[in-house]
């Protein structure tokens, strides 16, 4: 796996996290939804990266 591939995937994960943060619906569960989205993306990236 190339170092550039790792960086590009990280950029995509950060963009997806930003999109999830911005588009989370307003309401009492907004923090929970944002946390779940960011934690899921971080865990998937770490699992992919350590493979």
């Amino acid at each position: 796996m190339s170092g550039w591939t790792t960086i590009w995937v990280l950029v995509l994960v950060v963009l997806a996290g930003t999109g999830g943060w911005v588009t989370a619906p307003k309401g009492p569960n907004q923090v929970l939804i944002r946390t779940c989205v960011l934690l899921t993306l971080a865990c998937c990236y770490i699992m992919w990266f350590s493979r």
Side-chain angles (χ1 to χ4, degrees):
M1 175 169 41
S2 169
W4 288 109
T5 304
T6 304
I7 293 171
W8 282 113
V9 172
L10 178 61
V11 168
L12 291 175
V13 167
V14 168
L15 289 174
T18 303
W21 182 274
V22 171
T23 60
K26 304 283 188 231
N29 293 327
Q30 183 180 25
V31 174
L32 178 66
I33 293 169
R34 285 179 172 177
T35 303
C36 289
V37 168
L38 294 178
L39 188 60
T40 300
L41 289 170
C43 288
C44 287
Y45 177 74
I46 290 170
M47 285 177 56
W48 172 81
F49 179 73
S50 66
R51 186 174 69 107

